[in-house]
Amino acid sequence: MFVKCRRHRVLIHKILLFMVTVIVLMFLIRELPEREITSSKQIQNNIIDENDENDEYEIKLRTYESKIIPNLGHNGKEATLKDPEDNELGEKALKSVAMNYVLSDRIPLNRSVGDRRNEGCKKFYYNPTLTASVVIIFYNEILSAILRTIWSVTLQTPEHLLHEIVLVDDASTAEELKGFLQYYIDTRLSGHRIKLHHLNERVGLIKARLEGAKLATGDVLIFLDAHCEATIGWIEPLLARIEESRSTVLTPLIDVISASNFAYLSDADYTGFQVGGFSWPGHFTWINVQNENDRGKLTPIKSPTMAGGLFAIERKYFWEIGSYDDKMEGWGGENLEISFRIWQCGGRLETVPCSRVGHIFRDFHPYSIPGKKDTHGINTARLAHVWMDDYKRLFFMYRPKLEYSPLIGDITSRLELRKRLKCKSFKWYLDNVFPEKFIPDENVLGYGQVRNNLNMCLDDLSLHEGTTGPLGLYPCHAFSATTQYFSMTYKGKLRSENFCAEISNTLEVQLTRCLKDELKQSWIFFKNGTIYNSLFAKCLSSEGVEVPKAVRIDNCKDSDHQKWKFTYINSTVIT
Ligand SMILES: *[C@@H]1O[C@H](CO)[C@@H](O)[C@H](O)[C@H]1NC(C)=O
Ligand SMILES: *[C@@H]1O[C@H](CO)[C@@H](O)[C@H](O)[C@H]1NC(C)=O
Ligand SMILES: *[C@@H]1O[C@H](CO)[C@@H](O)[C@H](O)[C@H]1NC(C)=O
């Protein structure tokens, strides 16, 4: 009896407990947002043990996946969210990391951006046998951007051409780029050969890429930034060209993906694309395809340098040619270093117009290298000492403090490499690879500061490349300031590296793009200091010019405002 009664009580207890649990559960479910219910339902169906770490990842991942909006940004179309709150967060993201990750997280990770090739490219037949290791380095990159890069590579590369994807995490601090990313690869990308390697301490882009290259075993290394989207047919022309010429290093056409709405912006007819150049302060620049006959062509086109984020190189050749300078820190300068080295040591750089890869261009670089800030400057000083011979003077003119800086470190091994590979001079490179590159102090009538008799100087007022602005008047600096450095060429241009002096409609003088045979950009410099334009039959003058406004042209007269002196002139060629 006693026993029976006790059993009863236990049963009632159990029923009560069950009912309470049900009520609590119902209450909880009602409180959860709708999407979370679906994901927790799915989880229940798949029997998930919440104590396991992987199950934690699975829950997180399903929540994440449930927020993806099907077809958002499909075919590379501009993506937008309806909720104003999301858009506000997106704006904030753009300001903090230069990418709208709120939106990125909602776009399908396996979206297609469509076929971006020029129609003409579809007629080419490629049948490469080489395989590729795609190497992707990242540091605290937005996870959805990394995943979209990986997905695009796996979906747009024929399986027999993709040896593997090698991911190198340069000691990110973002937790989701550790176990969670590995879990994603294991569960959502299983069947694809993807290596994820975490570095223990942050080494910067250059050394991290070296680590990635060491792990790779395919025939060809293809380096991609961690915020790219490969498009249909992107890999075949790269591999085929390398198969034809193993010492040719290739860049695809790098198309623009908007960092704010993820629209794929470049159109297929984009035949007016540019190739890589450089500026004497050591920066990569875009230049027009050098040979006019090559413009609009779809076959690989010679490029003096490369931007560095995306390129393909035969793996063994990468090591033979000296990989990267492993004493370079952080990032910056390595792209010009490898460009000069490849050309000077017998290789070749080309842009492949039929290989199209989208790249999210950010307005600013969101991550800095702690401690050493100016890695670009220091790395460029290293390459200048190793590869540029006397022409390094033009870089160090901009960065005089770096020339003998101890921060540069030991360059012996790189000089030995240059010797061992019997590399050609920088003059050879300029003459043969980049003959149109303007050298401000060679084959010119005069160069340096341009000072009038009243000790005022011409000044570019720090004009930004690619824009137009006044040729200003400013007190002469006592040091060799690069804003006050101009050359007078044999062809009558008064110019700096990026700009030529041109007469505007108001007779003021502007700095703008250099044009051939443009009479408004044509000057004659006389020994007596007159700078004369024959179209207007007037002289360069500072009369009535308020500092720092533009100088002008005026009726020629004997005036201190019209007498100009260059720091250096070649008196044998001045009349
Ligand atoms: C992308 O992934 C979704 C969800 O897994 C799937 O339904 C869709 O078919 C995939 N699309 C492509 C182009 O693979
Ligand atoms: C400077 O020299 C040119 C050419 O000889 C002459 O035409 C011009 O009048 C001279 N200007 C002055 C101010 O002496
Ligand atoms: C000056 O011009 C002459 C004739 O063109 C040239 O041979 C010489 O090298 C030039 N001198 C300098 C320092 O550029």
Side-chain angles (χ1 to χ4, degrees), residues 262-321:
F262 297 86
Y264 197 103
L265 293 171
S266 312
D267 64 48
D269 294 332
Y270 178 45
T271 43
F273 65 87
Q274 294 183 301
V275 295
F278 72 92
S279 67
W280 293 112
H283 293 286
F284 172 84
T285 60
W286 295 104
I287 59 165
N288 289 332
V289 168
Q290 296 172 284
N291 184 340
E292 271 175 53
N293 298 329
D294 282 345
R295 293 188 191 150
K297 272 196 185 163
L298 297 172
T299 45
I301 285 167
K302 180 188 148 215
S303 183
T305 71
M306 63 173 165
L310 289 66
F311 69 98
I313 184 167
E314 208 246 16
R315 184 169 58 85
K316 290 187 180 134
Y317 181 68
F318 177 71
W319 295 110
E320 281 165 34
I321 198 85

Side-chain angles (χ1 to χ4, degrees), residues 3-21:
V3 175
K4 213 177 170 188
C5 183
R6 203 192 134 138
R7 264 201 209 135
H8 247 94
R9 268 171 49 199
V10 169
L11 198 64
I12 288 167
H13 220 102
K14 274 189 175 169
I15 289 167
L16 269 174
L17 197 72
F18 176 77
M19 281 172 67
V20 166
T21 313

Side-chain angles (χ1 to χ4, degrees), residues 143-193:
L143 179 63
S144 50
I146 301 177
L147 293 177
R148 209 167 289 114
T149 307
I150 301 173
W151 269 112
S152 73
V153 170
T154 60
L155 292 172
Q156 306 306 340
T157 311
E159 211 184 319
H160 69 286
L161 299 179
L162 184 60
H163 183 74
E164 64 192 340
I165 297 176
V166 178
L167 302 170
V168 179
D169 162 26
D170 187 10
S172 298
T173 54
E175 210 36 60
E176 62 181 12
L177 300 177
K178 308 294 174 185
F180 185 56
L181 174 55
Q182 185 64 58
Y183 181 80
Y184 187 96
I185 293 167
D186 293 342
T187 57
R188 303 304 194 265
L189 287 157
S190 62
H192 299 284
R193 289 173 296 273

Side-chain angles (χ1 to χ4, degrees), residues 526 528 530 557-559 563:
F526 293 112
N528 60 16
T530 300
K557 57 186 164 198
D558 190 0
S559 153
K563 293 212 171 81

Side-chain angles (χ1 to χ4, degrees), residues 65 68 70-71 74 108-112 151 155-156 184 188:
E65 285 170 339
I68 289 173
N71 290 318
H74 182 64
L109 297 168
N110 62 354
R111 80 159 172 173
S112 162
W151 269 112
L155 292 172
Q156 306 306 340
Y184 187 96
R188 303 304 194 265

Side-chain angles (χ1 to χ4, degrees), residues 67-124:
K67 292 190 177 146
I68 289 173
I69 302 169
N71 290 318
L72 185 64
H74 182 64
N75 267 334
K77 278 197 208 71
E78 170 182 340
T80 48
L81 295 175
K82 292 201 181 80
D83 186 345
E85 211 171 293
D86 285 337
N87 291 325
E88 214 170 283
L89 289 171
E91 286 298 315
K92 274 193 192 143
L94 262 181
K95 285 194 186 113
S96 63
V97 297
M99 191 193 294
N100 182 348
Y101 58 80
V102 179
L103 183 53
S104 177
D105 286 356
R106 312 292 292 274
I107 297 172
L109 297 168
N110 62 354
R111 80 159 172 173
S112 162
V113 289
D115 190 344
R116 295 287 160 171
R117 291 171 298 175
N118 185 293
E119 274 305 311
C121 293
K122 297 174 191 171
K123 296 188 191 109
F124 294 133

Side-chain angles (χ1 to χ4, degrees), residues 362-550:
R362 291 173 141 149
D363 281 348
F364 58 91
H365 205 270
Y367 317 111
S368 65
I369 289 275
K372 276 190 192 161
K373 287 245 163 59
D374 182 22
T375 56
H376 175 270
I378 296 160
N379 292 343
T380 308
R382 282 183 71 82
L383 86 85
H385 281 303
V386 175
W387 298 104
M388 291 175 78
D389 305 323
D390 276 354
Y391 291 93
K392 69 183 178 188
R393 67 182 183 268
L394 295 168
F395 169 68
F396 290 118
M397 180 173 83
Y398 289 90
R399 306 301 307 273
K401 286 192 196 127
L402 278 177
E403 185 159 10
Y404 303 106
S405 164
L407 293 173
I408 293 169
D410 186 7
I411 56 169
T412 322
S413 68
R414 301 309 282 179
L415 290 170
E416 277 167 3
L417 172 79
R418 182 172 167 172
K419 215 179 199 175
R420 189 169 73 240
L421 296 175
K422 300 192 173 62
C423 306
K424 300 187 184 83
S425 67
F426 199 70
K427 178 158 175 47
W428 176 89
Y429 170 82
L430 289 172
D431 289 348
N432 294 279
V433 180
F434 206 170
E436 73 274 28
K437 179 70 201 156
F438 180 61
I439 304 165
D441 59 357
E442 269 183 16
N443 297 315
V444 292
L445 302 174
Y447 62 89
Q449 272 181 330
V450 190
R451 178 190 296 257
N452 70 13
N453 265 6
L454 301 160
N455 269 328
M456 296 298 277
C457 276
L458 298 181
D459 196 304
D460 74 10
L461 309 176
S462 304
L463 187 60
H464 282 290
E465 214 179 304
T467 55
T468 291
L471 172 60
L473 187 71
Y474 204 79
C476 297
H477 292 300
F479 54 97
S480 65
T482 50
T483 59
Q484 298 189 345
Y485 189 100
F486 296 90
S487 311
M488 190 76 220
T489 73
Y490 288 162
K491 291 199 171 139
K493 298 274 189 214
L494 172 60
R495 64 172 291 178
S496 58
E497 183 174 9
N498 301 309
F499 306 107
C500 280
E502 177 174 301
I503 299 160
S504 74
N505 296 337
T506 57
L507 304 189
E508 284 177 347
V509 182
Q510 286 192 319
L511 289 173
T512 186
R513 202 156 62 91
C514 295
L515 298 170
K516 247 194 229 166
D517 310 320
E518 172 56 68
L519 291 177
K520 285 184 279 185
Q521 290 187 2
S522 194
W523 306 90
I524 305 172
F525 178 62
F526 293 112
K527 240 182 201 145
N528 60 16
T530 300
I531 297 180
Y532 175 80
N533 173 273
S534 54
L535 179 67
F536 291 89
K538 288 182 192 289
C539 287
L540 188 72
S541 169
S542 61
E543 193 166 353
V545 174
E546 272 174 60
V547 170
K549 297 236 166 86

